[in-house]
Amino acid sequence: MLAAPRDTRGRPLHDLRISVTDRCNFRCVYCMPRAVFGPDHAFLPRGELLTFEEITRLVRIFTGLGVEKVRLTGGEPLVRRDLAELVAQLAAIPGVRDLTMTTNGTLLPRHARSLAEAGLQRVTISLDADDDATFMRVNDAGVPVAVVMAGIAAAEEAGLGPIKLNMVVKRGWNEHAILPMARRFHGTGRILRFIEYMDVGHSNGWRLDDVVSADEILSTIASEFPLEPMPPTHPGEVAERFRYADGGGEIGVIASVSRPFCGDCSRARLSVDGQLYTCLFATTGHDLRALLRGGATDADLEADVRRVWGARDDRYSELRSSETVGLPKVEMSYIGG
Ligand code: SAM
């Protein structure tokens, strides 16, 4: 048996993020702004999407190359019908040790139990403010905070905790919600993670001035809750971890703009229609669906992914500059957040 592949910088392939749909029931201003993703936007037709069987076949192949962690995302993964069936198929693959999902939480009251029963282990839920005015302005879909809170509760009841909560901070939109969010979740066992606004895709009009840096986020929180750094739980972890000095739990910051972490990035991404991307900021992918639908054997697919990973040289966040911002990068909803 061949050894697990390493890329040109010696990085192994360990995590796979799968976008199961390019559709979403939110129109977050920093991700799927309504002006671009409005009623006339053409989402992918169903036949273009990988089927659950195709995804499962690929994940089995990826586990043979070192992948242990699989995260379902999108778009909003829970708008894809019968998703628990995919979860059950993936949970049955012996090499999948960690099976998780990133969701906006709105549909969890309906689905959390069946997802947990199918074998989902944890969920990360996105919530960008704890007051309705700010949150509804950001999600642009009229969804109040209470709906997401109900999703958090449903996930916990179903055993999908401990819950991680993602808050993207965009200047002028929600930086005033940093402390209120910290207050709300301090002492609850829920792990709040603050994400620097990134230049993913090309429809959100990203500008460096819109980024609230991890340092600024941390000093805002520390003004009320002193923080102590914590060691990473594993190599390649995206969040820098901190604990509240008063014992109120843990938070994280994901500083991909101000402190890029390409050096130990072990993540690959599979788009809705089966393109393999080796970087969140890539401009092109590698067409695995054409191979799948063109009669490739498992050995062909494995050799192909091994070759793509072996040639990988991406380190976009380390090279980010005013010139890279305008590159035609793929959208987060398509490639998976
Ligand atoms: N719909 C799901 C959700 O809301 O979590 C999953 C997909 S969403 C693209 C995944 C995560 O990416 C969310 O936490 C979202 O806030 C984050 N995200 C989207 N665009 C981003 C950007 N430009 N910069 C930083 N994070 C972003």
Side-chain angles (χ1 to χ4, degrees):
M1 210 176 90
L2 289 172
R6 298 255 170 181
D7 73 6
T8 60
R9 298 179 179 274
R11 299 170 294 190
L13 172 53
H14 187 253
D15 301 35
L16 184 64
R17 298 198 175 184
I18 304 171
S19 177
V20 293
T21 176
D22 56 344
R23 293 166 196 258
C24 189
N25 52 351
F26 279 13
R27 285 293 177 273
C28 296
V29 290
Y30 54 78
C31 188
M32 294 179 71
R34 199 169 282 283
V36 179
F37 294 90
D40 298 334
H41 180 77
F43 289 99
L44 286 170
R46 202 170 170 76
E48 300 272 316
L49 272 53
L50 289 187
T51 64
F52 290 170
E53 288 66 31
E54 287 171 330
I55 294 173
T56 303
R57 184 173 169 210
L58 285 177
V59 170
R60 194 171 289 118
I61 288 163
F62 274 92
T63 57
L65 295 166
V67 165
E68 295 185 347
K69 260 183 96 167
V70 174
R71 177 174 296 277
L72 301 179
T73 176
E76 171 47 45
L78 292 177
V79 304
R80 176 115 183 218
R81 204 174 304 151
D82 302 324
L83 195 69
E85 286 174 20
L86 174 64
V87 169
Q89 290 181 32
L90 298 181
I93 299 174
V96 175
R97 296 193 203 290
D98 196 12
L99 183 55
T100 63
M101 176 185 294
T102 304
T103 170
N104 62 31
T106 52
L107 299 170
L108 279 172
R110 202 182 307 162
H111 297 297
R113 186 157 301 281
S114 58
L115 291 167
E117 282 168 5
L120 191 71
Q121 289 164 270
R122 279 173 297 106
V123 286
T124 297
I125 299 174
S126 304
L127 179 63
D128 292 328
D130 85 324
D131 69 279
D132 283 343
T134 309
F135 184 50
M136 288 160 83
R137 193 167 158 246
V138 172
N139 70 50
D140 198 15
V143 178
V145 175
V147 171
V148 180
M149 294 304 293
I152 294 172
E156 284 173 339
E157 266 164 45
L160 293 171
I163 305 294
K164 287 185 183 151
L165 296 168
N166 279 353
M167 171 176 174
V168 175
V169 187
K170 181 173 178 186
R171 194 174 301 285
W173 288 80
N174 64 341
E175 73 268 38
H176 58 275
I178 294 170
L179 253 183
M181 284 286 279
R183 285 188 200 118
R184 184 184 278 237
F185 294 108
H186 176 270
T188 63
R190 297 157 179 171
I191 303 169
L192 187 52
R193 301 180 334 158
F194 298 90
I195 305 180
E196 288 181 351
Y197 172 46
M198 299 181 287
D199 51 331
V200 195
H202 59 275
S203 63
N204 62 10
W206 185 90
R207 295 172 318 142
L208 188 57
D209 290 351
D210 296 333
V211 179
V212 179
S213 72
D215 283 347
E216 188 177 334
I217 293 167
L218 290 170
S219 63
T220 303
I221 298 170
S223 68
E224 185 164 325
F225 299 107
L227 295 167
E228 297 165 351
M230 292 171 73
T233 43
H234 57 84
E237 186 167 49
V238 294
E240 296 169 39
R241 302 166 67 216
F242 296 83
R243 65 167 79 86
Y244 290 118
D246 65 3
E250 172 183 341
I251 63 154
V253 286
I254 301 178
S256 84
V257 179
S258 66
R259 291 197 282 274
F261 37 81
C262 305
D264 49 14
C265 176
S266 54
R267 279 174 293 286
R269 292 181 145 83
L270 191 58
S271 72
V272 195
D273 56 353
Q275 307 288 312
L276 172 63
Y277 287 88
T278 54
C279 178
L280 178 56
F281 302 96
T283 50
T284 52
H286 178 74
D287 194 355
L288 291 180
R289 190 188 64 185
L291 292 177
L292 276 172
R293 295 187 182 174
T297 64
D298 285 0
D300 295 337
L301 286 161
E302 181 179 320
D304 199 60
V305 175
R306 182 181 285 282
R307 185 183 54 71
V308 171
W309 191 263
R312 177 187 192 240
D313 188 31
D314 307 285
R315 55 187 191 104
Y316 175 86
S317 290
E318 292 178 355
L319 304 173
R320 179 181 283 112
S321 70
S322 50
E323 273 102 83
T324 62
V325 168
L327 289 173
K329 297 179 242 87
V330 290
E331 298 298 332
M332 187 99 140
S333 46
Y334 164 82
I335 197 177

